[in-house]
Amino acid sequence: MTNYDYDLAIIGSGGGAFSAAIRATGLGKRVLMVERGTIGGTCVNTGCVPSKALLAAAEARHTAADAAGRFPGIGSSAGPVDMGALIAGKQALVESMRQEKYVDLAADYGWDVIQGGASFSGTPGEPVLTITHDGGALASVEARSSVTAQHYLVATGSSPWIPPIEGLPEVDYLTSTTAMELSEIPESLLVLGGGYVALEMAQLFARLGTRVTMLVRSRLASHEEPEASRALMGVFADEGIHVVRRAAVASVRTDPLTGEVVAVAEVGSIGAKEPQEFRAARVLVAMGRRPVTRALNLKQVGVETGESGEIVVDSTLATTNPRVWAAGDVTGHPEFVYVAAHHGALAVENAFTGAGRTVDYRHLPRVTFTSPALGAVGLTDKQARESGYRCECRVLPLEYVPRAIVNRDTRGFIKIVAEAATGKILGVTAVAKDAGELAAAGVYLLEAGMTVDQVAAMWSPYLTMAEGIRIAAQSYTADVSRLSCCAV
């Protein structure tokens, strides 16, 4: 078959899907996008945009309450939160960005959009997309019962994973999605998990006035440097967030007398675990996400999936069917919208031009939007050693960074991981205000293959947090406690 309905048919409408559609249009291809839910995907609707908008609001309230203790002569206070108004404002922002950056953009590019479910039929040699039209108002063309394309891209994303904990299905639990739709602030909240979503949600609600307890299997941000975990533990303790480490939740139930959620967890190290009971008004499950692939009928067209439902792809994002590609969370690769966008464009180039480009995650930046934030790029100390490097690391407390001092907030650090023999920088991690910007700066240092000596000798504007990277590099050869405020 060579007379296809479209050159590219995309399942999904998030960051990966839009990036792919834009690149395909630039190549002169006819594009169809099929979306079963709300156009825009996770990031704009239930992920990055709404969560960061609410985090910014919570930080503003926290700053107002905290300023009097930080800055002499400043008096301030924070009153109760009108959760309904806060959520309405968040939703207005989401709808505005969705309209401008997704709905209007799709119309401007002239893609065909069908609102409805999609699954594969046909054969591995001739895949067909079967579509169930739900009559959504966003559809730009009438749905057909089936569509053929030269290439297909699956960009259906991921959804919160609900672990098989006894009693959990019978409890009115929250996820990161439903938590951001609450009309009232919970008096107390149990957060299950210690990853980036759990960290952001815990601090968000604590700063809005909720008593928060986190039940964490290992440590906070367990994939990052242990210094990051310790720094965030201190920050959370300061803000009244109770973090229980080495807590494996065994069961959850609702107390019929009080209406509280009751979680029983085995707490402690191996061989010394004890069951403990934790109570709160609500429980939020933030223990990871899983790819959305169950209804796609991928096996029908020879597309292999992994244990968690992720689509198995090679480094070019090709699946086990040469006409089916995948992008974003659905691949099981790092769950960042900028990864999905990169995937979408790269998959289209490989599908239609034979470019053979591959994905390289070596210098992928990672940011958790707590306050202070956690930002990292490259290898951690442990990862570098496991990769065979003999490393030399430096951890610079923020008390040596002038920007942090004048901010009157020295909670955190900047850490550099470098190869001992050459001084080449292998990784940068920071817990600090604007740590995401530090991670972005670290991307450029790693891409350039720079050494700590080179960074120590570079220009850096005084009273910026980025200056801390240069000071951390200087600490390899100097006692930074004996430098003047802007010494080079």
Side-chain angles (χ1 to χ4, degrees):
M1 183 185 297
T2 58
N3 186 24
Y4 302 112
D5 299 318
Y6 293 91
D7 297 306
L8 178 66
I10 304 171
I11 310 174
S13 67
F18 266 69
S19 177
I22 291 170
R23 188 60 55 92
T25 303
L27 295 174
K29 305 302 179 182
R30 298 167 299 153
V31 176
L32 169 70
M33 189 176 290
V34 184
E35 171 56 60
R36 65 182 174 87
T38 305
I39 195 168
T42 297
C43 182
V44 72
N45 291 306
T46 61
C48 319
V49 171
S51 66
K52 277 50 178 182
L54 292 176
L55 282 165
E59 182 174 11
R61 181 178 188 269
H62 177 75
T63 299
D66 187 53
R70 286 173 59 191
F71 300 102
I74 297 294
S76 61
S77 63
V81 175
D82 183 341
M83 192 64 171
L86 183 61
I87 295 299
K90 176 269 297 183
Q91 192 58 30
L93 174 66
V94 167
E95 291 172 3
S96 173
M97 291 190 67
R98 181 198 305 136
Q99 187 69 37
E100 180 181 351
K101 294 298 184 181
Y102 292 88
V103 177
D104 292 347
L105 203 62
D108 289 345
Y109 275 102
W111 309 323
D112 285 349
V113 178
I114 294 177
Q115 199 156 7
S119 63
F120 282 101
S121 57
T123 66
E126 289 296 344
V128 176
L129 206 58
T130 298
I131 300 172
T132 304
H133 188 40
D134 66 6
L138 293 174
S140 62
V141 294
E142 287 297 321
R144 309 176 191 182
S145 59
S146 63
V147 166
T148 60
Q150 183 182 359
H151 289 282
Y152 301 86
L153 178 72
V154 182
T156 46
S158 62
S159 61
W161 177 61
I162 307 304
I165 296 173
E166 180 184 341
L168 188 58
E170 286 73 51
V171 172
D172 184 20
Y173 61 81
L174 298 168
T175 67
S176 58
T177 299
T178 57
M180 291 188 289
E181 301 297 335
L182 291 174
S183 59
E184 296 183 358
I185 300 169
E187 181 180 342
S188 54
L189 179 69
L190 288 176
V191 176
L192 310 187
Y196 69 94
V197 172
L199 289 166
E200 292 178 2
M201 290 290 106
Q203 191 175 50
L204 166 64
F205 280 96
R207 288 184 166 188
L208 293 178
T210 300
R211 296 194 314 275
V212 176
T213 298
M214 299 184 72
L215 303 182
V216 184
R217 291 189 64 91
S218 55
R219 60 178 174 86
L220 300 181
S222 59
H223 296 297
E224 300 296 347
E225 298 281 14
E227 292 88 352
S229 177
R230 290 194 290 270
L232 290 173
M233 283 282 288
V235 169
F236 279 22
D238 289 344
E239 298 187 11
I241 300 171
H242 182 208
V243 179
V244 182
R245 292 186 54 196
R246 301 187 183 91
V249 179
S251 65
V252 179
R253 70 179 191 276
T254 301
D255 187 320
L257 296 178
T258 65
E260 291 179 307
V261 176
V262 182
V264 177
E266 297 289 331
V267 181
S269 55
I270 297 176
K273 288 185 175 294
E274 295 183 0
Q276 294 186 28
E277 190 174 277
F278 302 89
R279 290 173 171 262
R282 301 298 301 266
V283 61
L284 189 155
V285 182
M287 300 179 72
R289 299 175 67 86
R290 292 294 184 270
V292 177
T293 57
R294 180 172 297 179
L296 297 179
N297 199 26
L298 294 165
K299 186 177 180 181
Q300 175 72 27
V301 290
V303 174
E304 183 181 344
T305 57
E307 292 183 1
S308 299
E310 76 278 10
I311 295 178
V312 177
V313 294
D314 63 18
S315 59
T316 69
L317 301 174
T319 72
T320 47
N321 185 317
R323 286 175 52 195
V324 181
W325 305 74
D329 291 7
V330 77
T331 64
H333 289 202
E335 296 172 346
F336 301 112
V337 69
Y338 45 94
V339 170
H342 180 79
H343 278 185
L346 186 147
V348 165
E349 288 186 3
N350 288 339
F352 291 105
T353 72
R357 291 180 55 201
T358 60
V359 184
D360 182 358
Y361 297 114
R362 289 177 302 165
H363 302 154
L364 177 70
R366 314 176 293 276
V367 184
T368 301
F369 290 87
T370 48
S371 176
L374 164 60
V377 61
L379 301 177
T380 63
D381 186 355
K382 179 181 178 182
Q383 290 168 341
R385 286 185 279 106
E386 289 176 345
S387 298
Y389 289 102
R390 189 169 66 86
C391 298
E392 189 172 357
C393 301
R394 292 290 186 275
V395 179
L396 180 76
L398 290 192
E399 64 192 72
Y400 297 110
V401 179
R403 177 73 260 178
I405 295 170
V406 300
N407 285 348
R408 295 183 183 269
D409 187 357
T410 56
R411 300 172 301 172
F413 67 93
I414 297 172
K415 180 174 182 177
I416 294 178
V417 178
E419 186 178 20
T422 64
K424 181 181 177 180
I425 297 175
L426 304 173
V428 177
T429 297
V431 170
K433 179 178 173 57
D434 300 325
E437 278 68 25
L438 296 181
V443 172
Y444 309 137
L445 300 182
L446 268 62
E447 285 287 333
M450 299 190 72
T451 66
V452 290
D453 287 344
Q454 289 174 317
V455 173
M458 288 177 60
W459 291 109
S460 185
Y462 183 50
L463 289 179
T464 63
M465 198 61 74
E467 181 190 23
I469 297 178
R470 182 176 67 87
I471 298 172
Q474 286 179 305
S475 72
Y476 277 79
T477 56
D479 180 355
V480 296
S481 68
R482 297 177 60 83
L483 296 178
S484 66
C485 64
C486 50
V488 295

